[in-house]
Amino acid sequence: MYIRVKLKCRRIFQTNNILYLLYFTEDRSIITYDLTNRSVVNEKKDAHEKYVTSLSHVKVDGKDIIMSVSCEDNNVKLWDFSNWECILDLKHVNPKGVLRGSCFLKDNDKYYIVTSNSRIPYLYEGFTPEPIKIYDLQGNKVKEIAGSNDDTLFVDVYYADKKKYIVACNDKNVKAYDYEEGKLFKTFIETDLSNYMAIIHREGEVTKLIGSNYDGKVRIWNFNSGELLNTFNVNEDYIYGICLWDNKHLFVGCGKRIKLVDLSNGNALKTLEGHKTLVLSMEK
C-alpha cells in the first residue's frame, strides 16, 4: 500500500482498534487517513492560516485530542478528533519567533502543551527565540523553561525515575531540562552545528540520547552523565529524522534516502530509495 501526497507533517495513532495517519497538505487541510481500511475518512479544510509543522495526539478522559501547530502563524490548536471541532485556539505563542514543534506532557494525570522556541533569521529578520512555554489544555501558560538564546528546532518529553525531562534540540546543542525544577539538567554537545532531532532510549541500566545533526553524523550520549559514547558518520550531508527500530537498529533520514544503521558500529545495513525530496521524519 502506498500513499502519494506532499506532506508537511504527519502523525500516526491508534484508537478503537483503527490505525490512523494524519497529515497536512499544501492547501492547508488536515487529512485523516484510515490505514486499517485504506481510505480517507475526513478532511479538515483551512485548519490553519499557514503551514502546519507539528501534529500530536493524546487521549484525555476517553476523548482523542489532536494538537496542530503552525510555524508561520504561531498558533496552537486543539481538536476533538470525533468531530474535528476546534476546542482551543492559542494564538501568537511566540510573537518574536516561530513555532517549529510541540508535544504533550503528562503531569499528575493532567496533560500540558509544550511548545518549542525558534527563529529562521533569513526569513524572519529581527525575530528572536523565546523560552520553551508550557500551557494547560485551556490555554493558560503555567511555566517557561530555558533562556531566550536557545533556538529550539525539536522538543520532546522523557519520563524516567519519577521525573520528567524536556529534551530540546537547538542550533548549537541538545539540552535536557528538569520539568519540575525548570532548570537545565544536562547539555549534550560535540559540535556547534544544529541538532535536528533526539531520541531517548533505555537499554538495560544505561539511558542513551541519540541525536541527528547537520554534519551527517549520529551521536550517542549517556543521558545521565552527558558522556559521548559514540559518533557515526552516516551521511555526507544533513541528517534529519531518525527512528529507533529496536535495541540494535536505527533508521536515519539521509537527504532523499533512508538508511538502516547498526547501532553497534554505525554501518549502514540497507539503503531505501524512492523519495524525491528530503526525508524529515519517520515513525515506527
Side-chain angles (χ1 to χ4, degrees):
M1 177 185 63
Y2 296 90
I3 304 171
R4 298 195 60 173
V5 289
K6 191 166 184 180
L7 303 185
K8 291 298 176 183
C9 63
R10 67 29 182 169
R11 173 63 58 189
I12 294 175
F13 73 97
Q14 186 169 359
T15 185
N16 298 326
N17 296 320
I18 298 177
L19 192 65
Y20 291 102
L21 167 68
L22 298 177
Y23 59 89
F24 186 77
T25 62
E26 286 191 318
D27 62 0
R28 296 181 286 111
S29 295
I30 298 177
I31 306 295
T32 306
Y33 189 92
D34 182 338
L35 287 169
T36 303
N37 299 302
R38 303 183 183 183
S39 61
V40 173
V41 295
N42 187 272
E43 178 179 359
K44 182 63 180 179
K45 295 184 177 181
D46 297 321
H48 281 261
E49 296 177 7
K50 302 291 184 178
Y51 289 149
V52 168
T53 50
S54 175
L55 288 166
S56 304
H57 163 264
V58 72
K59 189 178 284 288
V60 181
D61 298 328
K63 181 183 294 186
D64 291 293
I65 303 297
I66 305 299
M67 174 167 57
S68 60
V69 174
S70 174
C71 172
E72 295 183 56
D73 65 16
N74 276 305
N75 292 355
V76 177
K77 292 186 178 183
L78 296 183
W79 308 87
D80 182 339
F81 179 70
S82 66
N83 55 17
W84 278 100
E85 175 188 358
C86 182
I87 57 178
L88 176 67
D89 188 357
L90 190 58
K91 296 183 180 296
H92 308 303
V93 172
N94 279 342
K96 296 181 180 180
V98 293
L99 284 174
R100 296 291 292 272
S102 66
C103 64
F104 285 108
L105 179 146
K106 188 176 183 181
D107 183 28
N108 294 326
D109 295 325
K110 290 185 178 181
Y111 284 94
Y112 296 88
I113 299 167
V114 181
T115 63
S116 70
N117 54 327
S118 187
R119 60 184 168 85
I120 308 177
Y122 59 88
L123 290 180
Y124 300 90
E125 185 177 354
F127 281 25
T128 56
E130 298 186 17
I132 293 171
K133 299 174 183 178
I134 293 91
Y135 298 86
D136 62 23
L137 299 191
Q138 289 71 48
N140 303 304
K141 185 167 64 176
V142 298
K143 187 177 292 191
E144 290 187 351
I145 294 178
S148 60
N149 60 336
D150 288 335
D151 185 12
T152 303
L153 304 173
F154 168 88
V155 63
D156 202 0
V157 176
Y158 174 62
Y159 305 90
D161 303 323
K162 298 182 179 181
K163 296 183 74 69
K164 292 169 281 292
Y165 300 94
I166 294 177
V167 179
C169 297
N170 61 66
D171 58 352
K172 295 185 180 300
N173 49 54
V174 180
K175 290 183 177 180
Y177 298 93
D178 185 306
Y179 171 74
E180 281 84 2
E181 296 181 2
K183 297 180 180 179
L184 179 67
F185 167 72
K186 201 73 65 177
T187 299
F188 308 88
I189 183 171
E190 188 192 32
T191 175
D192 61 359
L193 291 174
S194 293
N195 296 268
Y196 187 79
M197 186 176 179
I199 297 173
I200 309 297
H201 168 54
R202 187 157 189 166
E203 184 178 357
E205 297 299 318
V206 180
T207 300
K208 299 177 180 179
L209 184 146
I210 305 171
S212 65
N213 199 284
Y214 281 18
D215 62 0
K217 296 179 181 179
V218 169
R219 292 172 173 83
I220 303 176
W221 286 273
N222 183 308
F223 180 74
N224 293 307
S225 69
E227 176 191 1
L228 182 65
L229 302 176
N230 222 330
T231 301
F232 301 139
N233 194 352
V234 178
N235 195 38
E236 64 276 3
D237 207 341
Y238 296 168
I239 288 178
Y240 293 100
I242 52 178
C243 175
L244 192 67
W245 183 251
D246 54 29
N247 288 341
K248 298 180 179 180
H249 302 96
L250 182 76
F251 280 107
V252 181
C254 302
K256 301 176 184 179
R257 300 169 296 166
I258 299 172
K259 290 184 180 181
L260 178 64
V261 174
D262 187 329
L263 278 175
S264 67
N265 52 29
N267 291 337
L269 305 177
K270 189 173 293 187
T271 300
L272 308 178
E273 307 275 358
H275 282 279
K276 298 184 184 301
T277 55
L278 295 177
V279 178
L280 297 179
S281 64
M282 291 164 284
E283 189 171 352
K284 181 177 177 179

